[in-house]
Amino acid sequence: MGRRDWIEWAGVRNTSPRGLIFLPPLIGGNVSHGIGMFRWLIRKGYDLISFNYSGHGNSSGRFSLGATLRDTVHMLAHAQQLASTRRLPLFGIAPCYSATPLLYSAHHLKEPLQGIVLINAVLRLNPVAVIRSFWTHYRKMFPGQIGFKKCLAAVAHYADFLFPGVRKGRDGFGVLERKRVRLFATLADFLTLDPLQWVTLHKTDVLCLYARHDRILKMYDEDAGTDYKDDVSRICPRTLFRSLEGDHFLSHQMTRDRVTIYIKTFLQR
């Protein structure tokens, strides 16, 4: 980071912790969302640490996809230092897009994590897949019709289809305000970046939890013609897979309960 740049972060500590868990945030989320999502791990005796990407909350700068990689490298290095000082094993948990900067950072820092949990991990920025998926959605909404207003309506509906319950609009996405986004840089990153192209974690044990009815993961698989498990195994050859009922957001309580059991068992191995 530059001298005038900073990353807002927060941590929760136990009196006698069993380990430190690093939680990279979601785009449009903030530090409290990540810790809140996995607060049950505090009761299991783990310390947690998370942060805000550039452009989010009180972190400085403006958002871009490239910035998420840079920010996560800096914060994982900080978490590694904390874990070493406290003599704790260091783990990482990453849902959705946050898996990409986590795996990228773990590779960049020579695999400092004892274990990683991936939850419906998105591992590729694939604009072709997104465009094809949107066009299929558009044709279902407006069969045989094309128009600018219809396109705008379809974009809004498509965003709700992929990210239900997340605040979206012209002013921002989630907690991320539009004025704090480097729009052209973000678009360029989306079109050109492939952060995990040359990444392989040879030493790190990984638990991969994925929903069988995940719209986002299916979108990428159908475009690439590949199997999701093969994609994960290429990057993380030491992966244990567990499939789940439900959708990308693990909406059902029974599914979330199973996720809790899988994660607890993995961390205690």
mmCIF file of all heavy atoms in Angstrom, residues 53-89:
data_model
loop_
_atom_site.group_PDB
_atom_site.id
_atom_site.type_symbol
_atom_site.label_atom_id
_atom_site.label_comp_id
_atom_site.label_asym_id
_atom_site.label_seq_id
_atom_site.Cartn_x
_atom_site.Cartn_y
_atom_site.Cartn_z
ATOM 1 N N TYR A 53 -12.394 -4.063 1.274
ATOM 2 C CA TYR A 53 -11.660 -3.736 0.061
ATOM 3 C C TYR A 53 -11.583 -2.218 -0.125
ATOM 4 O O TYR A 53 -12.383 -1.462 0.425
ATOM 5 C CB TYR A 53 -12.371 -4.324 -1.163
ATOM 6 C CG TYR A 53 -12.373 -5.817 -1.276
ATOM 7 C CD1 TYR A 53 -13.567 -6.515 -1.525
ATOM 8 C CD2 TYR A 53 -11.196 -6.556 -1.166
ATOM 9 C CE1 TYR A 53 -13.579 -7.889 -1.654
ATOM 10 C CE2 TYR A 53 -11.198 -7.942 -1.292
ATOM 11 C CZ TYR A 53 -12.398 -8.612 -1.541
ATOM 12 O OH TYR A 53 -12.415 -9.973 -1.670
ATOM 13 N N SER A 54 -10.648 -1.783 -0.940
ATOM 14 C CA SER A 54 -10.580 -0.377 -1.332
ATOM 15 C C SER A 54 -11.941 0.071 -1.861
ATOM 16 O O SER A 54 -12.601 -0.650 -2.611
ATOM 17 C CB SER A 54 -9.533 -0.179 -2.427
ATOM 18 O OG SER A 54 -8.238 -0.455 -1.945
ATOM 19 N N GLY A 55 -12.360 1.274 -1.443
ATOM 20 C CA GLY A 55 -13.652 1.796 -1.873
ATOM 21 C C GLY A 55 -14.807 1.382 -0.992
ATOM 22 O O GLY A 55 -15.920 1.892 -1.144
ATOM 23 N N HIS A 56 -14.576 0.467 -0.070
ATOM 24 C CA HIS A 56 -15.611 -0.006 0.844
ATOM 25 C C HIS A 56 -15.357 0.555 2.243
ATOM 26 O O HIS A 56 -14.212 0.570 2.721
ATOM 27 C CB HIS A 56 -15.614 -1.537 0.935
ATOM 28 C CG HIS A 56 -16.033 -2.240 -0.309
ATOM 29 N ND1 HIS A 56 -15.297 -2.201 -1.474
ATOM 30 C CD2 HIS A 56 -17.109 -3.036 -0.572
ATOM 31 C CE1 HIS A 56 -15.907 -2.930 -2.400
ATOM 32 N NE2 HIS A 56 -17.004 -3.451 -1.874
ATOM 33 N N GLY A 57 -16.437 0.965 2.900
ATOM 34 C CA GLY A 57 -16.323 1.404 4.289
ATOM 35 C C GLY A 57 -15.289 2.497 4.461
ATOM 36 O O GLY A 57 -15.247 3.461 3.703
ATOM 37 N N ASN A 58 -14.409 2.319 5.450
ATOM 38 C CA ASN A 58 -13.383 3.319 5.737
ATOM 39 C C ASN A 58 -12.034 2.986 5.110
ATOM 40 O O ASN A 58 -11.030 3.658 5.428
ATOM 41 C CB ASN A 58 -13.215 3.475 7.255
ATOM 42 C CG ASN A 58 -14.431 4.122 7.895
ATOM 43 O OD1 ASN A 58 -15.007 5.055 7.338
ATOM 44 N ND2 ASN A 58 -14.840 3.621 9.055
ATOM 45 N N SER A 59 -11.979 1.974 4.254
ATOM 46 C CA SER A 59 -10.753 1.741 3.499
ATOM 47 C C SER A 59 -10.588 2.862 2.475
ATOM 48 O O SER A 59 -11.561 3.370 1.924
ATOM 49 C CB SER A 59 -10.796 0.379 2.786
ATOM 50 O OG SER A 59 -10.688 -0.682 3.698
ATOM 51 N N SER A 60 -9.350 3.223 2.211
ATOM 52 C CA SER A 60 -9.096 4.335 1.298
ATOM 53 C C SER A 60 -9.209 3.883 -0.152
ATOM 54 O O SER A 60 -9.415 2.708 -0.446
ATOM 55 C CB SER A 60 -7.699 4.913 1.547
ATOM 56 O OG SER A 60 -6.714 3.941 1.208
ATOM 57 N N GLY A 61 -9.064 4.843 -1.054
ATOM 58 C CA GLY A 61 -8.986 4.532 -2.472
ATOM 59 C C GLY A 61 -10.325 4.209 -3.098
ATOM 60 O O GLY A 61 -11.391 4.373 -2.500
ATOM 61 N N ARG A 62 -10.252 3.724 -4.330
ATOM 62 C CA ARG A 62 -11.436 3.363 -5.097
ATOM 63 C C ARG A 62 -11.353 1.903 -5.496
ATOM 64 O O ARG A 62 -10.278 1.331 -5.633
ATOM 65 C CB ARG A 62 -11.561 4.265 -6.326
ATOM 66 C CG ARG A 62 -11.746 5.731 -5.960
ATOM 67 C CD ARG A 62 -11.571 6.638 -7.152
ATOM 68 N NE ARG A 62 -12.645 6.444 -8.130
ATOM 69 C CZ ARG A 62 -12.608 6.951 -9.362
ATOM 70 N NH1 ARG A 62 -11.561 7.617 -9.781
ATOM 71 N NH2 ARG A 62 -13.628 6.756 -10.184
ATOM 72 N N PHE A 63 -12.517 1.317 -5.721
ATOM 73 C CA PHE A 63 -12.606 -0.116 -5.987
ATOM 74 C C PHE A 63 -12.257 -0.458 -7.425
ATOM 75 O O PHE A 63 -12.586 0.266 -8.359
ATOM 76 C CB PHE A 63 -14.032 -0.601 -5.689
ATOM 77 C CG PHE A 63 -14.264 -2.027 -6.097
ATOM 78 C CD1 PHE A 63 -13.884 -3.070 -5.276
ATOM 79 C CD2 PHE A 63 -14.848 -2.325 -7.332
ATOM 80 C CE1 PHE A 63 -14.078 -4.385 -5.659
ATOM 81 C CE2 PHE A 63 -15.051 -3.633 -7.723
ATOM 82 C CZ PHE A 63 -14.673 -4.672 -6.878
ATOM 83 N N SER A 64 -11.588 -1.583 -7.590
ATOM 84 C CA SER A 64 -11.441 -2.267 -8.869
ATOM 85 C C SER A 64 -11.170 -3.729 -8.549
ATOM 86 O O SER A 64 -10.827 -4.073 -7.411
ATOM 87 C CB SER A 64 -10.291 -1.684 -9.704
ATOM 88 O OG SER A 64 -9.037 -1.984 -9.107
ATOM 89 N N LEU A 65 -11.312 -4.601 -9.527
ATOM 90 C CA LEU A 65 -11.044 -6.016 -9.278
ATOM 91 C C LEU A 65 -9.568 -6.233 -8.963
ATOM 92 O O LEU A 65 -9.202 -7.045 -8.119
ATOM 93 C CB LEU A 65 -11.476 -6.846 -10.481
ATOM 94 C CG LEU A 65 -12.982 -6.839 -10.766
ATOM 95 C CD1 LEU A 65 -13.289 -7.618 -12.033
ATOM 96 C CD2 LEU A 65 -13.774 -7.413 -9.594
ATOM 97 N N GLY A 66 -8.709 -5.484 -9.656
ATOM 98 C CA GLY A 66 -7.291 -5.580 -9.359
ATOM 99 C C GLY A 66 -6.980 -5.180 -7.924
ATOM 100 O O GLY A 66 -6.100 -5.764 -7.278
ATOM 101 N N ALA A 67 -7.715 -4.189 -7.408
ATOM 102 C CA ALA A 67 -7.498 -3.746 -6.029
ATOM 103 C C ALA A 67 -7.851 -4.839 -5.029
ATOM 104 O O ALA A 67 -7.231 -4.928 -3.965
ATOM 105 C CB ALA A 67 -8.316 -2.490 -5.747
ATOM 106 N N THR A 68 -8.836 -5.679 -5.336
ATOM 107 C CA THR A 68 -9.185 -6.762 -4.403
ATOM 108 C C THR A 68 -8.023 -7.739 -4.245
ATOM 109 O O THR A 68 -7.811 -8.280 -3.158
ATOM 110 C CB THR A 68 -10.440 -7.535 -4.865
ATOM 111 O OG1 THR A 68 -10.157 -8.253 -6.077
ATOM 112 C CG2 THR A 68 -11.620 -6.606 -5.088
ATOM 113 N N LEU A 69 -7.274 -7.966 -5.324
ATOM 114 C CA LEU A 69 -6.107 -8.855 -5.249
ATOM 115 C C LEU A 69 -5.021 -8.229 -4.392
ATOM 116 O O LEU A 69 -4.462 -8.866 -3.489
ATOM 117 C CB LEU A 69 -5.573 -9.149 -6.649
ATOM 118 C CG LEU A 69 -6.565 -9.725 -7.669
ATOM 119 C CD1 LEU A 69 -5.875 -9.925 -9.012
ATOM 120 C CD2 LEU A 69 -7.164 -11.031 -7.180
ATOM 121 N N ARG A 70 -4.723 -6.969 -4.666
ATOM 122 C CA ARG A 70 -3.676 -6.259 -3.916
ATOM 123 C C ARG A 70 -4.034 -6.176 -2.435
ATOM 124 O O ARG A 70 -3.192 -6.455 -1.558
ATOM 125 C CB ARG A 70 -3.525 -4.861 -4.500
ATOM 126 C CG ARG A 70 -2.479 -3.985 -3.810
ATOM 127 C CD ARG A 70 -2.662 -2.537 -4.215
ATOM 128 N NE ARG A 70 -3.906 -2.000 -3.699
ATOM 129 C CZ ARG A 70 -4.678 -1.142 -4.345
ATOM 130 N NH1 ARG A 70 -4.359 -0.750 -5.576
ATOM 131 N NH2 ARG A 70 -5.795 -0.679 -3.797
ATOM 132 N N ASP A 71 -5.286 -5.803 -2.126
ATOM 133 C CA ASP A 71 -5.705 -5.652 -0.731
ATOM 134 C C ASP A 71 -5.621 -6.983 0.016
ATOM 135 O O ASP A 71 -5.211 -7.025 1.182
ATOM 136 C CB ASP A 71 -7.142 -5.123 -0.667
ATOM 137 C CG ASP A 71 -7.274 -3.710 -1.221
ATOM 138 O OD1 ASP A 71 -6.246 -3.034 -1.386
ATOM 139 O OD2 ASP A 71 -8.422 -3.304 -1.497
ATOM 140 N N THR A 72 -6.024 -8.058 -0.651
ATOM 141 C CA THR A 72 -6.037 -9.362 0.020
ATOM 142 C C THR A 72 -4.629 -9.865 0.285
ATOM 143 O O THR A 72 -4.360 -10.478 1.328
ATOM 144 C CB THR A 72 -6.828 -10.383 -0.816
ATOM 145 O OG1 THR A 72 -8.128 -9.849 -1.104
ATOM 146 C CG2 THR A 72 -7.007 -11.689 -0.055
ATOM 147 N N VAL A 73 -3.697 -9.595 -0.628
ATOM 148 C CA VAL A 73 -2.295 -9.959 -0.383
ATOM 149 C C VAL A 73 -1.784 -9.251 0.870
ATOM 150 O O VAL A 73 -1.165 -9.867 1.751
ATOM 151 C CB VAL A 73 -1.409 -9.613 -1.597
ATOM 152 C CG1 VAL A 73 0.078 -9.729 -1.231
ATOM 153 C CG2 VAL A 73 -1.710 -10.534 -2.775
ATOM 154 N N HIS A 74 -2.038 -7.950 0.973
ATOM 155 C CA HIS A 74 -1.579 -7.185 2.138
ATOM 156 C C HIS A 74 -2.196 -7.714 3.426
ATOM 157 O O HIS A 74 -1.506 -7.881 4.444
ATOM 158 C CB HIS A 74 -1.941 -5.707 1.970
ATOM 159 C CG HIS A 74 -1.024 -4.959 1.048
ATOM 160 N ND1 HIS A 74 0.288 -4.675 1.361
ATOM 161 C CD2 HIS A 74 -1.230 -4.424 -0.184
ATOM 162 C CE1 HIS A 74 0.855 -4.015 0.374
ATOM 163 N NE2 HIS A 74 -0.046 -3.850 -0.583
ATOM 164 N N MET A 75 -3.496 -7.998 3.403
ATOM 165 C CA MET A 75 -4.169 -8.417 4.636
ATOM 166 C C MET A 75 -3.839 -9.857 5.009
ATOM 167 O O MET A 75 -3.762 -10.184 6.191
ATOM 168 C CB MET A 75 -5.678 -8.224 4.500
ATOM 169 C CG MET A 75 -6.133 -6.772 4.640
ATOM 170 S SD MET A 75 -5.550 -5.959 6.156
ATOM 171 C CE MET A 75 -6.149 -7.071 7.423
ATOM 172 N N LEU A 76 -3.627 -10.721 4.023
ATOM 173 C CA LEU A 76 -3.227 -12.087 4.360
ATOM 174 C C LEU A 76 -1.824 -12.097 4.959
ATOM 175 O O LEU A 76 -1.543 -12.863 5.894
ATOM 176 C CB LEU A 76 -3.291 -12.987 3.124
ATOM 177 C CG LEU A 76 -2.906 -14.457 3.358
ATOM 178 C CD1 LEU A 76 -3.764 -15.088 4.456
ATOM 179 C CD2 LEU A 76 -3.039 -15.264 2.061
ATOM 180 N N ALA A 77 -0.939 -11.243 4.450
ATOM 181 C CA ALA A 77 0.394 -11.125 5.047
ATOM 182 C C ALA A 77 0.293 -10.644 6.498
ATOM 183 O O ALA A 77 1.025 -11.118 7.379
ATOM 184 C CB ALA A 77 1.245 -10.165 4.222
ATOM 185 N N HIS A 78 -0.639 -9.716 6.749
ATOM 186 C CA HIS A 78 -0.848 -9.230 8.115
ATOM 187 C C HIS A 78 -1.397 -10.340 9.007
ATOM 188 O O HIS A 78 -0.944 -10.525 10.142
ATOM 189 C CB HIS A 78 -1.806 -8.045 8.099
ATOM 190 C CG HIS A 78 -2.090 -7.463 9.448
ATOM 191 N ND1 HIS A 78 -1.110 -6.974 10.283
ATOM 192 C CD2 HIS A 78 -3.272 -7.302 10.115
ATOM 193 C CE1 HIS A 78 -1.657 -6.538 11.400
ATOM 194 N NE2 HIS A 78 -2.968 -6.726 11.327
ATOM 195 N N ALA A 79 -2.359 -11.096 8.486
ATOM 196 C CA ALA A 79 -2.921 -12.214 9.254
ATOM 197 C C ALA A 79 -1.845 -13.270 9.533
ATOM 198 O O ALA A 79 -1.815 -13.861 10.625
ATOM 199 C CB ALA A 79 -4.086 -12.834 8.490
ATOM 200 N N GLN A 80 -0.974 -13.503 8.563
ATOM 201 C CA GLN A 80 0.117 -14.462 8.750
ATOM 202 C C GLN A 80 1.036 -14.020 9.889
ATOM 203 O O GLN A 80 1.457 -14.832 10.721
ATOM 204 C CB GLN A 80 0.907 -14.590 7.449
ATOM 205 C CG GLN A 80 2.040 -15.608 7.509
ATOM 206 C CD GLN A 80 2.821 -15.654 6.205
ATOM 207 O OE1 GLN A 80 2.635 -14.821 5.311
ATOM 208 N NE2 GLN A 80 3.688 -16.642 6.075
ATOM 209 N N GLN A 81 1.305 -12.721 9.954
ATOM 210 C CA GLN A 81 2.150 -12.194 11.024
ATOM 211 C C GLN A 81 1.467 -12.339 12.384
ATOM 212 O O GLN A 81 2.103 -12.728 13.370
ATOM 213 C CB GLN A 81 2.473 -10.729 10.746
ATOM 214 C CG GLN A 81 3.427 -10.094 11.756
ATOM 215 C CD GLN A 81 3.747 -8.660 11.409
ATOM 216 O OE1 GLN A 81 3.074 -8.039 10.603
ATOM 217 N NE2 GLN A 81 4.782 -8.117 12.027
ATOM 218 N N LEU A 82 0.158 -12.049 12.429
ATOM 219 C CA LEU A 82 -0.582 -12.195 13.685
ATOM 220 C C LEU A 82 -0.593 -13.653 14.144
ATOM 221 O O LEU A 82 -0.396 -13.940 15.329
ATOM 222 C CB LEU A 82 -2.016 -11.701 13.505
ATOM 223 C CG LEU A 82 -2.236 -10.203 13.330
ATOM 224 C CD1 LEU A 82 -3.714 -9.921 13.086
ATOM 225 C CD2 LEU A 82 -1.746 -9.436 14.549
ATOM 226 N N ALA A 83 -0.839 -14.570 13.215
ATOM 227 C CA ALA A 83 -0.887 -15.990 13.560
ATOM 228 C C ALA A 83 0.470 -16.471 14.067
ATOM 229 O O ALA A 83 0.554 -17.251 15.028
ATOM 230 C CB ALA A 83 -1.322 -16.805 12.348
ATOM 231 N N SER A 84 1.525 -15.989 13.444
ATOM 232 C CA SER A 84 2.871 -16.379 13.877
ATOM 233 C C SER A 84 3.169 -15.846 15.273
ATOM 234 O O SER A 84 3.703 -16.564 16.130
ATOM 235 C CB SER A 84 3.903 -15.850 12.873
ATOM 236 O OG SER A 84 5.219 -16.146 13.300
ATOM 237 N N THR A 85 2.799 -14.591 15.531
ATOM 238 C CA THR A 85 3.031 -13.987 16.842
ATOM 239 C C THR A 85 2.251 -14.712 17.932
ATOM 240 O O THR A 85 2.767 -14.935 19.037
ATOM 241 C CB THR A 85 2.618 -12.499 16.817
ATOM 242 O OG1 THR A 85 3.386 -11.816 15.824
ATOM 243 C CG2 THR A 85 2.837 -11.847 18.171
ATOM 244 N N ARG A 86 1.021 -15.099 17.607
ATOM 245 C CA ARG A 86 0.170 -15.779 18.593
ATOM 246 C C ARG A 86 0.377 -17.294 18.587
ATOM 247 O O ARG A 86 -0.246 -18.009 19.365
ATOM 248 C CB ARG A 86 -1.305 -15.474 18.297
ATOM 249 C CG ARG A 86 -1.658 -13.996 18.333
ATOM 250 C CD ARG A 86 -3.099 -13.769 17.898
ATOM 251 N NE ARG A 86 -3.386 -12.352 17.669
ATOM 252 C CZ ARG A 86 -4.529 -11.891 17.175
ATOM 253 N NH1 ARG A 86 -5.507 -12.742 16.861
ATOM 254 N NH2 ARG A 86 -4.702 -10.600 16.988
ATOM 255 N N ARG A 87 1.226 -17.785 17.672
ATOM 256 C CA ARG A 87 1.519 -19.218 17.552
ATOM 257 C C ARG A 87 0.237 -20.028 17.297
ATOM 258 O O ARG A 87 -0.058 -21.017 17.978
ATOM 259 C CB ARG A 87 2.236 -19.726 18.800
ATOM 260 C CG ARG A 87 3.584 -19.069 19.014
ATOM 261 C CD ARG A 87 4.312 -19.625 20.220
ATOM 262 N NE ARG A 87 5.595 -18.967 20.397
ATOM 263 C CZ ARG A 87 6.469 -19.263 21.369
ATOM 264 N NH1 ARG A 87 6.156 -20.211 22.265
ATOM 265 N NH2 ARG A 87 7.605 -18.620 21.457
ATOM 266 N N LEU A 88 -0.497 -19.569 16.279
ATOM 267 C CA LEU A 88 -1.762 -20.199 15.930
ATOM 268 C C LEU A 88 -1.723 -20.711 14.487
ATOM 269 O O LEU A 88 -1.098 -20.091 13.626
ATOM 270 C CB LEU A 88 -2.916 -19.191 16.049
ATOM 271 C CG LEU A 88 -3.218 -18.627 17.431
ATOM 272 C CD1 LEU A 88 -4.285 -17.540 17.323
ATOM 273 C CD2 LEU A 88 -3.686 -19.738 18.368
ATOM 274 N N PRO A 89 -2.408 -21.809 14.204
ATOM 275 C CA PRO A 89 -2.584 -22.205 12.803
ATOM 276 C C PRO A 89 -3.479 -21.195 12.096
ATOM 277 O O PRO A 89 -4.405 -20.649 12.691
ATOM 278 C CB PRO A 89 -3.251 -23.584 12.898
ATOM 279 C CG PRO A 89 -3.922 -23.590 14.238
ATOM 280 C CD PRO A 89 -3.057 -22.745 15.139
#
